[in-house]
Amino acid sequence: MGAFSLSWLFLTLFSTLLLRSLGEHASLPPRGWNSYDSFCWTISEEEFLQNAELVAKHLHAHGYEYVVVDYLWYRRKVDGAYVDSLGFDVIDEWGRMIPDPGRWPSSRGGKGFAEVAEKVHKIGLKFGIHVMRGISTQAYNANTPILDITTGKAYEESGRKWYAKDIGIKERACAWMQHGFMSVNTKLGAGRAFLRSLYQQYANWGVDFVKHDCVFGEDLDIDEISYVSKVLTGLNRPILYSLSPGTSVTPAMARDVSGLVNMYRITGDDWDTWEDVAAHFDISRDFSAANMIGAKGLLGKSWPDLDMLPLGWLTDPGSNEGPHRKCKLSLDEQKAQMTLWAMAKSPLMFGGDMRRLDDSTYSLLTNPTLLEINSFSSNNREFPYISSSQCRRVKDPKGHIISEGLTLGLTSCKDVEARGWSARAISDDLEQVCWKEKSSNRHKEQFCLHKRTPLLSSEEGMTYKGHYDSKVHLLNTKMMEACLGASPNRKLPSREFERGSFSPCRRDANQMWELNHNGTLKNSYSGLCASMMTVKAKSAPNGVRAWIATGRKGEIYVAFFNLDSVKAEI
Ligand SMILES: *[C@@H]1O[C@H](CO)[C@@H](O)[C@H](O)[C@H]1NC(C)=O
């Protein structure tokens, strides 16, 4: 990708001894290592512990303290198993995920991750795991009973036992892992008991960090986040709470969860392409401007998370293969990434294989100035008042880049920006839902969708009776039979801004919408509202950027970035 130039201005430099205060959750942006970028889901106990030992040896002194096993540690690694396969997971009699004994031999005999956590603690680090939303499809299909952790027996209420099928919400399957997991109904005592049985077990294993996936961004499940947050507060061991991924997250949406968690992703997945890195600049600027960096979080603080650092020795997204290739970013691009992550105070989770950590990656990860900024700076902001010989971007009077157009996005229903939808009749039996026209350009057509009551087969009509009574499908006016859905059926990388994909109409909570009296249009899957948002440059935003921050002794840090593919003088 493009040439990149970075200049630094340090008014003062200070010692980089990292004093991480105890007592408060995530008082500084958390730091560590995560297995996803180098192993996808395939990591074994041996590989994990090798990486953990090297983190302890080389990175711990620089504040990297969490080692996290990413997704599907319960999936047997055999022919036919992949990211969205069904039927390969190891579950216990209560429908809870347990580590695949083939890959995690120390878990045999019901020990779960206890031995791995103990080894991690012995070398001075903290242990994290990735978990998905709700309950697995496999537990649902097996209709396992629910454990009541207060009695150690099956959960009973209203004179009967409760099972997985009572609490799983099938039409709220994780949009990008449809066969894997679904939400649980937290309004039911049994649904809450199931979540308690999971998180109590993680605490018993010695887990210090939970990365909760498919509950945020377009996949928002605020009920589950709220309840898990409450459970974590009541446990006898501190567990840091992290949300992922963050496709389509707005500051308004983040405000609803930031107090419940310690970190939350604000973009789709970040991989080692310049487009992915560049896609983080606008969103970081918006979150810093909204004062979300280091806001009040769960028993401490919370941090907008720009995702792991895919540097060094890696694998590919969704792969069944371990690390086998080098990071594709140039060194300048890697410096730009690390610098933005530092200036925006993002959690720093290294994703490369520690066993092949090269010198240049190591220097970048342990750069004392960047780590000082990442931990201890304040007033971190994008700084718009700069000029450059190559500065081609158009600015409005506030210094913001002028928008290129409107795109459909999702935001919190409390966000005033979400108001603007209204219904209008086209004919006796056809109604449209339209977005208010803001543009003065008369040639532009108003954005409208056809409204239709979801067609259910008679059997489905019985199953979902009452469920979708006030809900409607929204059809593309040019392409009837294609319904608007809120979530894509795969994890989106950060560079993909496209929202509101159309796909064949189904009775899927993703495609169900409700028009409120105040002009908001609410999606049944995520509980978020549709809004027509202005998109900044659609591809990699070009031009020159600067960030500024104040150090802990009052020194000022300034970072200049050139997102263009040609050299620029700033
Ligand atoms: C619009 O109405 C819904 C439903 O009553 C409410 O939850 C939401 O907060 C309201 N939003 C705004 C922006 O007024």
Side-chain angles (χ1 to χ4, degrees):
M1 268 311 136
F4 172 82
S5 74
L6 167 72
S7 314
W8 280 98
L9 174 64
F10 302 120
L11 301 188
T12 332
L13 293 178
F14 280 95
S15 108
T16 57
L17 182 69
L18 291 172
L19 301 164
R20 305 182 77 89
S21 84
L22 301 166
E24 193 189 37
H25 272 40
S27 58
L28 303 176
R31 233 172 252 173
W33 180 84
N34 176 299
S35 62
Y36 180 67
D37 291 344
S38 42
F39 292 88
C40 191
W41 65 279
T42 64
I43 195 164
S44 69
E45 179 167 341
E46 191 187 6
E47 290 161 331
F48 181 76
L49 290 173
Q50 285 168 351
N51 271 278
E53 272 159 30
L54 293 164
V55 170
K57 206 166 158 191
H58 301 296
L59 295 182
H60 190 198
H62 304 278
Y64 293 79
E65 60 177 340
Y66 292 94
V67 283
V68 183
V69 184
D70 213 271
Y71 69 169
L72 308 180
W73 35 265
Y74 31 79
R75 187 151 299 171
R76 284 183 289 124
K77 199 183 164 201
V78 292
D79 281 351
Y82 61 99
V83 168
D84 196 19
S85 56
L86 174 60
F88 296 93
D89 294 344
V90 188
I91 59 174
D92 71 5
E93 61 181 305
W94 306 108
R96 299 179 296 181
M97 317 314 294
I98 49 175
D100 163 26
R103 285 189 290 144
W104 302 91
S106 78
S107 69
R108 286 170 206 268
K111 292 202 289 287
F113 274 128
E115 282 196 13
V116 174
E118 201 187 322
K119 284 185 181 158
V120 167
H121 294 153
K122 273 206 180 110
I123 54 175
L125 299 177
K126 292 183 173 159
F127 178 61
I129 57 170
H130 172 287
V131 300
M132 292 288 293
R133 69 160 44 186
I135 190 166
S136 69
T137 312
Q138 208 169 308
Y140 181 92
N141 289 346
N143 205 21
T144 46
I146 290 160
L147 172 65
D148 181 343
I149 51 166
T150 55
T151 62
K153 298 198 193 103
Y155 182 84
E156 290 191 40
E157 196 191 314
S158 314
R160 70 163 177 106
K161 286 186 181 163
W162 290 70
Y163 294 89
K165 287 194 177 169
D166 298 321
I167 63 161
I169 309 176
K170 232 181 160 180
E171 67 275 23
R172 287 180 51 87
C174 173
W176 51 263
M177 201 195 279
Q178 302 255 346
H179 299 111
F181 289 82
M182 64 185 82
S183 286
V184 298
N185 188 345
T186 55
K187 295 194 174 62
L188 298 173
R192 295 193 297 273
F194 178 72
L195 291 174
R196 282 199 302 275
S197 77
L198 298 180
Y199 288 83
Q200 183 62 57
Q201 182 178 53
Y202 304 148
N204 295 348
W205 285 344
V207 166
D208 307 293
F209 178 105
V210 169
K211 176 178 171 185
H212 197 184
D213 212 336
C214 209
V215 287
F216 192 45
E218 292 191 326
D219 311 302
L220 189 73
D221 189 333
I222 193 84
D223 293 341
E224 185 165 332
I225 295 171
S226 307
Y227 191 67
V228 168
S229 180
K230 195 172 154 200
V231 172
L232 293 179
T233 312
L235 292 175
N236 53 1
R237 80 176 282 115
I239 295 185
L240 230 67
Y241 190 21
S242 159
L243 303 181
S244 172
T247 312
S248 209
V249 173
T250 57
M253 194 195 297
R255 269 190 210 103
D256 295 344
V257 304
S258 63
L260 303 170
V261 305
N262 302 112
M263 50 193 265
Y264 51 93
R265 287 270 303 282
I266 58 172
T267 61
D269 284 6
D270 176 71
W271 278 93
D272 53 331
T273 71
W274 179 241
E275 288 76 12
D276 275 14
V277 177
H280 285 81
F281 280 83
D282 286 350
I283 189 104
S284 308
R285 173 200 59 207
D286 296 346
F287 274 73
S288 67
N291 292 318
M292 299 307 291
I293 298 175
K296 192 185 164 317
L298 169 68
L299 303 173
K301 291 185 175 170
S302 66
W303 307 93
D305 176 11
L306 305 189
D307 201 9
M308 280 97 68
L309 296 159
L311 308 174
W313 196 243
L314 305 171
T315 187
D316 298 303
S319 172
N320 266 8
E321 226 191 309
H324 58 273
R325 66 175 182 87
K326 270 175 74 171
C327 169
K328 287 181 284 200
L329 297 172
S330 71
L331 185 58
D332 280 340
E333 291 168 345
Q334 296 181 32
K335 283 184 187 167
Q337 173 162 34
M338 190 68 193
T339 308
L340 177 66
W341 266 233
M343 292 300 284
K345 291 177 78 80
S346 170
L348 299 178
M349 302 298 259
F350 176 50
D353 188 349
M354 285 299 297
R355 299 167 308 175
R356 292 192 56 162
L357 181 64
D358 57 276
D359 289 346
S360 112
T361 306
Y362 174 75
S363 315
L364 204 52
L365 292 173
T366 59
N367 180 297
T369 311
L370 292 178
L371 296 185
E372 167 73 22
I373 295 169
N374 178 248
S375 285
F376 300 115
S377 61
S378 54
N379 303 319
N380 308 59
R381 287 282 184 277
E382 189 178 284
F383 183 76
Y385 311 102
I386 51 169
S387 64
S388 143
S389 60
Q390 294 287 335
C391 201
R392 291 199 301 258
R393 70 182 164 151
V394 199
K395 289 186 201 168
D396 69 12
K398 280 190 193 150
H400 294 139
I401 297 172
I402 286 171
S403 66
E404 312 272 31
L406 288 173
T407 190
L408 195 70
L410 294 168
T411 186
S412 163
C413 292
K414 290 182 207 145
D415 191 351
V416 287
E417 299 284 315
R419 298 172 69 150
W421 298 97
S422 55
R424 68 173 192 209
I426 307 264
S427 62
D428 287 349
D429 54 359
L430 193 60
E431 240 186 68
Q432 281 189 336
V433 174
C434 298
W435 179 252
K436 65 187 174 201
E437 185 60 280
K438 268 186 183 164
S439 159
S440 52
N441 182 347
R442 264 188 236 130
H443 302 295
K444 264 179 71 183
E445 269 178 62
Q446 195 178 10
F447 181 79
C448 293
L449 295 157
H450 285 310
K451 181 174 148 203
R452 193 177 73 186
T453 307
L455 303 171
L456 303 179
S457 66
S458 54
E459 194 196 321
E460 283 170 346
M462 296 293 285
T463 315
Y464 297 104
K465 200 168 185 319
H467 220 98
Y468 292 135
D469 278 356
S470 54
K471 310 288 159 59
V472 294
H473 266 153
L474 295 171
L475 286 79
N476 189 325
T477 48
K478 298 207 178 71
M479 195 170 67
M480 291 296 264
E481 299 317 312
C483 277
L484 180 69
S487 285
N489 58 8
R490 70 198 163 83
K491 243 176 159 174
L492 286 179
S494 345
R495 64 182 174 278
E496 290 186 50
F497 294 105
E498 274 87 357
R499 302 281 176 258
S501 49
F502 287 92
S503 54
C505 301
R506 285 169 284 143
R507 52 119 205 92
D508 181 324
N510 243 315
Q511 292 186 347
M512 302 290 174
W513 300 86
E514 193 177 2
L515 185 61
N516 289 321
H517 294 296
N518 57 16
T520 56
L521 189 59
K522 183 176 174 184
N523 177 259
S524 307
Y525 177 74
S526 59
L528 296 173
C529 280
S531 169
M532 294 300 280
M533 299 171 175
T534 50
V535 273
K536 322 282 170 356
K538 215 165 180 251
S539 54
N542 58 1
V544 168
R545 305 290 178 94
W547 273 70
I548 191 160
T550 312
R552 56 176 150 166
K553 304 264 170 71
E555 76 277 23
I556 305 292
Y557 296 100
V558 185
F560 296 109
F561 301 90
N562 175 8
L563 309 191
D564 269 338
S565 53
V566 288
K567 278 200 185 295
E569 242 169 66
I570 303 168

